[in-house]
Amino acid sequence: MPEPEIRELRYFRAVAEDLNITRAAERLGIAQPPLSRAMRQLEHRLGVDLFDRSGPRLGLTEAGETLLKESGPVLDALDSAVRRTQRASQSSGGLVVTAKPGVATEVLHRIVTELQGELLGVQVVVSGFGEQADMVRDGRADVALVSRPFDDHGLETELLYTEPRVAALPARHELATRDVLAADDLAGIPAPRWSRANVAERNYWSARPDDPVDGPIVQDSSQLLEVVAFGQAVALVPQSMAERNIRPDVVYRPVTDVEPYQMLVVWPAGSRSADLAKFVEVAVRRSGTP
């Protein structure tokens, strides 16, 4: 049986994700008729129907669902290999490390400081919410500091530390008079929404994931605290973040029954880089609640 071409698999993923030939063609930058022909050709190569065309909207067959699931890691791995190969030719060398601003970059600073003189070079890339694992998977970074939850497929991980999360409240909020809170105490109170957060991430940052109340969208921890200070939301934050952001208009209270905050170091599964191994070794040695 002739093997499908990489181009065909990329086209298939676009169509399978959009379930609309016109939108997928626009996304790929090609005309609709060649894309439709490519999908028919792929089905012919594999000897199966990938799409259900019987209804008013395009759908995936069971075979299509399987190909989407199984081909995704292959395409991601190829993209990662291309990026890493291109980076390997650059004269600068060294590791590219990424982390989100805040607690993670504070930990990263200590790790990089200890590594000075031991590695050829460490390039730090500060990235946005939820980007770190994807950057390691697709080859834009060699290693990342990531907090749960995140998609760890294709990655190896090592837990660095765990710490409690606390509620950040406006100083004049009625709950600010309490010493300790439970998740149910926060029922009906808006929680900030991280930009581009998926369902799992949204649930994690909400004290009541079964009954969330959406507050303003935030891009970083500074904006999050301003939203809290203005009384627009109550947020769950790592205890170390609370300790580093003492301010008169925000108070922090323990919450007894929410998942703790976890920081991990992640890298590509199967990596044999000696520099990366050294980075992970130092990261684990320097771990502990910041």
Side-chain angles (χ1 to χ4, degrees):
M1 180 182 66
E3 295 182 357
E5 299 178 358
I6 293 297
R7 173 183 57 83
E8 292 174 327
L9 291 177
R10 293 193 190 281
Y11 286 1
F12 167 75
R13 178 154 73 171
V15 177
E17 290 176 346
D18 286 338
L19 292 178
N20 184 291
I21 290 286
T22 301
R23 286 200 300 267
E26 291 174 352
R27 182 172 152 193
L28 292 166
I30 63 175
Q32 180 177 334
L35 180 57
S36 296
R37 287 195 298 271
M39 293 302 92
R40 292 288 189 183
Q41 182 176 341
L42 178 59
E43 290 177 314
H44 180 71
R45 284 182 189 274
L46 298 176
V48 299
D49 290 330
L50 298 172
F51 299 99
D52 180 357
R53 300 175 175 88
S54 61
R57 297 186 60 188
L58 192 65
L60 285 176
T61 63
E62 184 175 350
E65 294 279 5
T66 300
L67 182 60
L68 178 61
K69 177 182 177 181
E70 297 295 336
S71 64
V74 175
L75 294 173
D76 291 342
L78 178 60
D79 290 341
S80 176
V82 169
R83 287 191 179 96
R84 293 185 195 285
T85 299
Q86 292 171 334
R87 283 178 40 214
S89 68
Q90 298 172 358
S91 59
S92 58
L95 291 176
V96 175
V97 187
T98 187
K100 183 168 69 73
V103 176
T105 47
E106 291 175 7
V107 176
L108 180 56
H109 179 76
R110 296 203 303 271
I111 297 170
V112 171
T113 298
E114 180 166 333
L115 283 169
Q116 285 179 349
E118 295 192 47
L119 300 185
L120 178 61
V122 178
Q123 177 186 349
V124 175
V125 177
V126 178
S127 48
F129 180 86
E131 294 181 330
Q132 294 74 38
D134 287 341
M135 289 181 67
V136 174
R137 252 191 305 272
D138 67 21
R140 286 176 289 164
D142 299 301
V143 60
L145 299 190
V146 185
S147 61
R148 289 205 184 275
F150 65 93
D151 179 2
D152 61 2
H153 85 265
L155 303 175
E156 295 187 34
T157 70
E158 186 75 36
L159 178 65
L160 297 182
Y161 67 86
T162 298
E163 63 173 305
R165 287 189 295 163
V166 300
L169 307 105
R172 296 184 180 180
H173 198 282
E174 59 183 9
L175 292 177
T177 61
R178 304 264 296 274
D179 293 330
V180 179
L181 302 176
D184 283 347
D185 295 325
L186 304 178
I189 301 175
R193 291 178 294 156
W194 286 97
S195 176
R196 299 186 304 276
N198 60 33
V199 173
E201 292 163 340
R202 171 183 164 179
N203 288 345
Y204 174 80
W205 290 105
S206 172
R208 293 288 304 275
D210 55 333
D211 187 26
V213 179
D214 289 338
I217 295 176
V218 298
Q219 306 289 338
D220 54 44
S221 55
S222 296
Q223 187 179 10
L224 179 146
L225 291 178
E226 294 302 331
V227 163
V228 170
F230 280 110
Q232 298 172 314
V234 169
L236 295 176
V237 301
Q239 180 173 290
S240 59
M241 175 180 163
E243 292 170 351
R244 284 166 169 72
N245 288 275
I246 302 300
R247 46 190 292 173
D249 49 3
V250 175
V251 298
Y252 304 98
R253 295 292 181 263
V255 184
T256 58
D257 51 354
V258 295
E259 292 182 60
Y261 180 84
Q262 292 185 328
M263 180 67 67
L264 300 92
V265 57
V266 307
W267 64 96
S271 173
R272 297 294 181 265
S273 164
D275 283 353
L276 193 151
K278 181 64 177 179
F279 181 94
V280 173
E281 174 194 337
V282 171
V284 172
R285 186 167 69 244
R286 294 303 304 265
S287 66
T289 303

